[in-house]
Amino acid sequence: MRRYLRLALAVLLLALSAGCGAEAVLGEPEEALAAGWQAYSLGDFEFAETAFLHVTQDEEATEEHRYSALLGLASTHHFNTRPNLEAAARYYERLAGVAGERGARQSLLGLGMVELAREEVSRGRGHLHELIDLHPESREAGEAVLYLADSYFRPEEDGEAVGGFRPARASALQQGLEVLEERLSAHPDDPLASVMHMMLGRQYVQMAEFRRAVEHLQAALRLGVASETNRAEVTWQVARIAEMELQDYELAEEHYAIYARDFPRTQQYYRAARSLERVRELQQEAQ
């Protein structure tokens, strides 16, 4: 209890003292880090930066403390409401020098994300490919696969197109699909596998390859979709594609039934219940 009281007090003092000696009240590295991450989670980026900087300047800070502080500084600048991508890149670069392989992995991932955000696509992809090649078994490699695939799926700028963008080229789409499918083939139990299957499913829907889309969406559901909102959306999507595009009424019935059972408080519940009755009638007519 005392530890949490000290943490709450540190955050309060940080807020009251920002810009006028906040470093003096942050205390030990562990407490400063806790205060910094709490401030970060609340969107108090200025406070978070002060706390993380305090740790990097503390001679008593361990390498683990410095790793967390540098990651905090990189994240604070990267995901700020007004991001400073140059500062974020500097801190991601410094991460490569702490915490051994873990720091190196996080450095490559962060730099890849920053370069993509800067529209330096080739450099961003280069960092992500390096991470995947050097540390294929890591969670960061799975994250890199998602960002890499997304970089191929993004619309491309085109001043002559409506809205200033046009869909990604077919060759780019194919590269993105291959990135995801190769990862799933080599690492089917990747912690992010369900996200990869959802990404593939939604891309195949856009390409009107509905059978392949449904296969990947079902795979995502089997592996487990953490968010109830996303799980409901994927279940509904499988049911609608099965009915409307594939005329697979058995598959549609299965997923409408799951939707009606598991998501009774959603806007689509009554549509699912009516659709379930409809596909059952269609099955009877087909017999």
Side-chain angles (χ1 to χ4, degrees), residues 87-106:
R90 289 197 300 271
Y91 287 117
Y92 281 129
E93 287 171 353
R94 288 177 61 182
L95 270 172
V98 297
E101 186 179 295
R102 182 167 51 135
R105 296 196 307 265
Q106 194 63 58

Side-chain angles (χ1 to χ4, degrees), residues 95-250:
L95 270 172
V98 297
E101 186 179 295
R102 182 167 51 135
R105 296 196 307 265
Q106 194 63 58
S107 175
L108 286 169
L109 178 61
L111 288 170
M113 294 163 62
V114 165
E115 295 298 354
L116 289 177
R118 290 163 135 181
E119 302 298 332
E120 296 288 346
V121 177
S122 294
R123 292 176 63 180
R125 288 174 181 167
H127 289 303
L128 298 175
H129 275 298
E130 184 178 356
L131 170 55
I132 295 165
D133 292 342
L134 293 178
H135 311 286
E137 304 302 320
S138 68
R139 181 180 176 86
E140 290 87 352
E143 292 183 60
V145 165
L146 295 175
Y147 286 108
L148 187 58
D150 180 68
S151 77
Y152 288 111
F153 295 153
R154 290 180 186 178
E156 299 179 12
E157 289 190 20
D158 185 343
E160 297 181 1
V162 176
F165 290 90
R166 60 176 172 78
R169 301 174 191 273
S171 58
L173 292 177
Q174 187 59 41
Q175 285 180 282
L177 295 171
E178 288 174 1
V179 166
L180 291 166
E181 290 176 336
E182 287 173 6
R183 180 69 180 181
L184 287 169
S185 177
H187 298 84
D189 298 323
D190 190 296
L192 296 171
S194 64
V195 182
M196 296 177 194
H197 280 296
M198 282 192 288
M199 203 169 182
L200 281 164
R202 287 164 180 165
Q203 192 59 47
Y204 279 125
V205 167
Q206 293 183 29
M207 297 167 68
E209 295 191 31
F210 297 112
R211 179 58 68 181
R212 297 183 76 174
V214 161
E215 289 171 356
H216 282 290
L217 295 173
Q218 286 183 280
L221 291 171
R222 285 195 299 271
L223 288 169
V225 179
S227 163
E228 182 173 330
T229 300
N230 287 340
R231 194 162 64 251
E233 178 188 340
V234 173
T235 302
W236 176 259
Q237 195 169 21
V238 171
R240 297 297 284 179
I241 293 171
E243 179 188 3
M244 302 299 181
E245 304 296 343
L246 303 177
Q247 288 74 54
D248 186 338
Y249 301 126
E250 183 177 351

Side-chain angles (χ1 to χ4, degrees), residues 234-274:
V234 173
T235 302
W236 176 259
Q237 195 169 21
V238 171
R240 297 297 284 179
I241 293 171
E243 179 188 3
M244 302 299 181
E245 304 296 343
L246 303 177
Q247 288 74 54
D248 186 338
Y249 301 126
E250 183 177 351
L251 182 61
E253 178 188 7
E254 177 187 353
H255 286 78
Y256 282 134
I258 292 171
Y259 196 101
R261 181 194 70 204
D262 293 350
F263 310 108
R265 295 182 178 84
T266 63
Q267 292 181 341
Q268 301 284 17
Y269 169 74
Y270 291 106
R271 289 186 65 192
R274 290 196 299 271

